[in-house]
């Protein structure tokens, strides 16, 4: 125990904490490759973590790091494991922990530029680089967010302001005589429905447009749904298309949908949280650059750009539209817009905001853009490899084509319960973490490669394990008369 007279560290302690941090990072790097994905959670340790009171007099830096190494790291999920293959979640790039420390040191408040001059320009730089990938014009803009859900929330909120057709700021949804309707596909992410709920649009006013055999929104059915709503006296205002559905990586037919939005005067938002950044890949560029036709795009640097959580981003075609939706004038936040620096409080719901753009900017500086292109190409190639192995294996089948880095597959002779048990055993034995998937009511397994550490050998190992073990879970014994 020690009594401290200040909340600062003295120079010796800064050196000691720095050394302990470096040691921790190096130990972690050594641990990751062979480590299980999910921890064997030590419930006693976690219960103590919950119940032990905070010390009144504090501990030493040594003791603090000891506690982290003994209790916290062993009870953490190894997201960076090369066999963490569930969801869309990857490891942070190597410089990120250092940059997070610097961001905490500077503690810039990215609400208005007086409190964050260089940070404001860095955020603007990251946003304009991202916008440039889709050919967005000079007067485009956006904001760094906590993730894709928040980016889409801000986009749909902006669409309400822009398309409601009355003074939305003053009257809000209270002024509605006819319900506003939002369209998205039946394969879109739950985040969109959640955003519509939060914004008061209401789930009943979210139309889930059916998809084609490739899990892409059907523009003909979008068109007829819009017409039906108009006939019934409702008011369409926004379409959310997916650039990379979370299940299969399907990219909706953006051009056709954009044509409809143009004709009908609707806001087109793209949920590109998973897939939009694959525009960096040569082979996906043509398909994804059509996102540039949208009014706004949500994307997630904490997925395809390997930024540590949290870093999402909304980019909007017309920065002024976003600003009009979020600017609130007040006497104590008097910040005129500078031609160089941006007051980000006027572009989203937050006032105090951290410097999330920094870790994204710094990694692009250190590694260069080509390193991210290469990492993305590698994950795409590994997913394609996975797909080829499944196709070559008679006991398995692909449930959907491999569009990006998600692979949905199943064992022909396993039913829902069999797949569930097989997955549970895979996870329980610490082989890998994969997720379940259900497409058109058929259950299977979903792998998603979002990790620059994953190798072909990891995929071979997981598939061999699954093949061998699946035999023990066969539940659909075929009775075709041949046996
Ligand atoms: C991850 C994801 C989201 C949600 O984004 P968060 O960053 O988790 O908030 C939304 N849509 C899709 C397609 C996603 O993959």
């Amino acid at each position: 125990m020690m009594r401290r007279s200040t909340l600062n560290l003295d120079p010796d302690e800064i050196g000691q904490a720095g050394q302990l941090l470096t040691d921790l990072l190096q130990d972690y790097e050594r641990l990751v490759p062979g480590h299980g994905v999910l921890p064997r959670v030590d419930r006693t340790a976690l219960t103590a973590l919950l119940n032990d009171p905070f010390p009144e007099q504090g501990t030493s830096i040594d003791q603090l790091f000891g506690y982290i190494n003994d209790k916290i790291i062993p009870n953490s999920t190894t997201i960076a494991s090369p066999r963490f293959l569930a969801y869309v979640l990857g490891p942070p790039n190597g410089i990120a922990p250092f940059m997070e420390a610097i961001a905490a040191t500077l503690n810039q408040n990215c609400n208005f530029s007086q409190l964050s001059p260089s940070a404001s320009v860095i955020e603007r730089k990251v946003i304009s680089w991202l916008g440039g990938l889709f050919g967005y014009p000079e007067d485009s803009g956006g904001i760094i967010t906590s993730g894709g859900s928040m980016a889409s929330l801000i986009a749909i909120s902006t669409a309400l302001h822009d398309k409601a057709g009355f003074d939305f700021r003053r009257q809000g949804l209270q002024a509605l005589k006819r319900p506003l309707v939002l369209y998205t596909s039946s394969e879109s992410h739950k985040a969109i429905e959640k955003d519509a709920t939060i914004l008061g649009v209401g789930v009943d006013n979210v139309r889930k447009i059916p998809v084609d055999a490739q899990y892409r929104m059907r523009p003909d059915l979008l068109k007829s749904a819009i017409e039906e709503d108009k006939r019934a006296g409702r008011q369409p205002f926004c379409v959310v298309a997916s650039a990379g559905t979370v299940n299969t990586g399907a990219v909706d037919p953006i051009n056709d949908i954009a044509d409809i939005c143009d004709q009908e005067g609707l806001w087109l938002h793209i949920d590109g949280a998973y897939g939009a950044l694959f525009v960096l890949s040569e082979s996906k560029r043509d398909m994804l650059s059509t996102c540039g036709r949208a009014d706004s795009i949500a994307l997630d640097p904490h997925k395809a750009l390997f930024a540590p959580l949290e870093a999402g981003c909304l980019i909007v075609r017309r920065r002024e539209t976003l600003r009009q939706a979020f600017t609130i004038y007040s006497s104590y936040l008097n910040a005129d817009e500078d031609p160089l620096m941006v007051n980000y409080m006027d572009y989203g719901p937050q006032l105090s905001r951290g410097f999330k753009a920094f870790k994204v900017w710094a990694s692009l500086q250190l590694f260069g853009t080509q390193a991210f292109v290469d990492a993305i190409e590698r994950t795409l190639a590994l997913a394609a490899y996975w797909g080829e192995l499944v196709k070559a294996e008679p006991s398995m089948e692909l449930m959907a084509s491999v569009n990006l880095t998600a692979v949905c597959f199943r064992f022909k002779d396993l039913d829902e319960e069999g797949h569930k048990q097989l997955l549970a055993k895979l996870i329980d034995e610490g082989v890998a973490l994969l997720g379940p998937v259900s497409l058109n009511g058929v259950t299977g397994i979903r792998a998603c490669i979002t990790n620059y550490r994953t190798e072909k050998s990891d995929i071979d190992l997981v598939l061999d394990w699954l093949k061998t073990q699946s035999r023990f879970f066969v539940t659909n014994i075929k009775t075709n008369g041949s046996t």
Side-chain angles (χ1 to χ4, degrees):
M1 282 199 208
M2 56 191 293
R3 188 184 187 92
R4 290 176 167 274
S5 55
T6 164
L7 292 177
N8 215 346
L9 301 184
D10 66 35
D12 284 347
E13 288 176 315
I14 292 175
Q16 189 197 359
Q19 188 57 54
L20 287 165
L21 175 63
T22 312
D23 293 347
L24 185 155
L25 293 175
Q26 272 166 349
D27 289 347
Y28 196 74
E29 200 54 41
R30 275 192 291 272
L31 166 149
V32 161
H35 201 64
V37 182
L38 295 182
R40 300 249 167 239
V41 173
D42 177 350
R43 302 193 74 86
T44 314
L46 292 189
T47 306
L49 191 61
L50 180 65
N51 293 337
D52 288 353
F54 288 113
E56 197 180 317
Q57 302 295 336
T59 60
S60 68
I61 291 172
D62 254 340
Q63 280 174 303
L64 176 63
F65 272 84
Y67 199 88
I68 293 164
N69 283 317
D70 295 346
K71 308 275 192 233
I72 297 182
I73 294 178
N75 289 297
S76 295
T77 303
T78 312
I79 307 291
S81 161
R83 283 183 245 134
F84 182 102
L85 299 163
Y87 318 109
V88 190
L89 181 56
N93 65 77
I95 199 67
F98 300 94
M99 298 302 110
E100 291 281 66
I102 294 171
T105 305
L106 300 178
N107 200 32
Q108 298 296 281
N109 194 336
C110 301
N111 60 359
F112 59 100
S113 59
Q114 185 191 49
L115 304 182
S116 47
S118 59
S120 161
V121 175
I122 282 172
E123 182 158 355
R124 189 173 168 191
K125 171 75 185 168
V126 169
I127 289 164
S128 81
W129 180 72
L130 290 168
L133 297 177
F134 301 94
Y136 263 13
E138 267 296 296
D139 61 347
S140 62
I143 188 163
I144 300 287
T145 64
S146 53
S149 310
M150 187 53 80
S152 287
L153 182 90
I154 297 172
I156 298 168
S157 173
T158 308
L160 284 170
H161 280 261
D162 196 52
K163 299 293 183 188
F166 53 87
D167 190 342
F168 190 80
R169 164 171 299 220
R170 293 198 43 203
Q171 299 172 289
L173 292 169
Q174 314 280 10
L176 276 189
K177 294 188 183 60
R178 13 183 236 155
L180 290 162
V181 185
L182 180 142
Y183 304 81
T184 191
S185 88
S186 56
E187 279 291 306
S188 79
H189 198 278
K190 283 284 164 210
I192 302 307
E193 213 172 279
K194 186 171 177 181
D195 290 343
T197 312
I198 296 168
L199 291 168
V201 171
V203 186
D204 285 353
N205 301 309
V206 176
R207 298 278 171 275
K208 295 290 191 66
I209 306 301
V211 291
D212 64 15
Q214 306 293 318
Y215 302 99
R216 298 171 301 199
M217 188 195 289
R218 285 203 26 204
D220 56 326
L221 297 182
L222 170 66
K223 181 106 186 129
S224 49
I226 291 170
E227 272 155 18
E228 192 185 316
D229 279 319
K230 287 202 299 193
R231 267 199 305 277
R234 293 180 285 260
Q235 186 185 342
F237 80 102
C238 178
V239 178
V240 179
S242 303
T245 59
V246 68
N247 277 338
T248 67
V251 178
D252 286 341
I254 311 278
N255 261 328
D256 295 344
I257 294 171
D259 288 343
I260 295 172
C261 289
D262 283 349
Q263 284 156 21
E264 300 285 344
L266 308 183
W267 185 278
L268 175 57
H269 174 64
I270 308 275
D271 178 4
Y274 168 31
L277 279 165
F278 287 96
V279 73
L280 286 166
S281 156
E282 187 81 52
S283 61
K284 306 293 172 192
R285 186 162 307 146
D286 286 350
M287 177 173 66
L288 287 163
S289 56
T290 56
C291 293
R293 286 195 63 189
D295 296 291
S296 55
I297 308 171
L299 36 83
D300 261 350
H302 65 210
K303 291 176 176 169
L305 287 185
F306 307 101
L309 296 167
E310 302 162 345
C313 184
L314 173 69
I315 49 179
V316 290
R317 161 175 287 285
R318 281 188 65 248
R319 147 180 157 157
E320 188 53 27
T321 320
L322 180 61
R323 204 177 71 83
Q324 277 166 7
F326 285 97
T327 306
I328 296 283
Y329 297 97
S330 73
S331 55
Y332 57 90
L333 293 174
N334 178 13
D336 291 334
E337 184 112 332
D338 180 286
L340 182 59
M341 294 172 277
V342 177
N343 298 320
Y344 279 100
M345 66 179 180
D346 291 342
Y347 293 83
Q350 278 180 275
L351 290 177
S352 294
R353 295 176 67 242
F355 190 8
K356 291 189 173 77
F358 185 52
K359 57 198 173 190
V360 181
W361 174 88
S363 64
L364 287 164
Q365 289 286 347
L366 180 73
F367 297 108
T369 55
Q370 188 60 39
F372 289 93
V373 173
D374 293 346
I376 280 177
E377 297 287 12
R378 263 173 49 79
T379 59
L380 284 166
L382 287 170
Y385 174 70
W386 194 308
E388 290 311 315
L389 291 183
V390 169
K391 276 194 227 163
E393 168 56 42
S395 68
M396 293 190 218
E397 63 189 3
L398 282 178
M399 299 170 70
S401 54
V402 179
N403 301 306
L404 299 173
T405 55
V407 189
C408 298
F409 62 101
R410 60 186 301 282
F411 286 89
K412 293 173 187 165
D413 290 341
L414 282 197
D415 67 1
E416 184 174 345
E417 187 55 30
H419 279 104
K420 206 169 134 188
Q421 289 177 13
L422 180 63
L423 254 186
K425 183 163 190 205
L426 175 89
I427 295 165
D428 193 53
E429 293 198 357
V431 181
L433 187 71
L434 274 69
V437 70
S438 173
L439 294 172
N440 286 331
V442 179
T443 314
I445 297 175
R446 177 181 175 279
C448 187
I449 297 151
T450 323
N451 193 332
Y452 56 81
R453 296 170 208 261
T454 305
E455 303 278 349
K456 274 186 173 173
S457 57
D458 295 302
I459 295 170
D460 293 340
L461 184 147
V462 173
L463 277 175
D464 283 345
W465 188 96
L466 285 171
K467 255 186 311 195
T468 310
Q469 294 293 321
S470 66
R471 298 190 200 117
F472 301 113
F473 295 99
V474 170
T475 38
N476 295 345
I477 304 296
K478 283 209 185 102
T479 51
N480 56 11
S482 63
T483 48

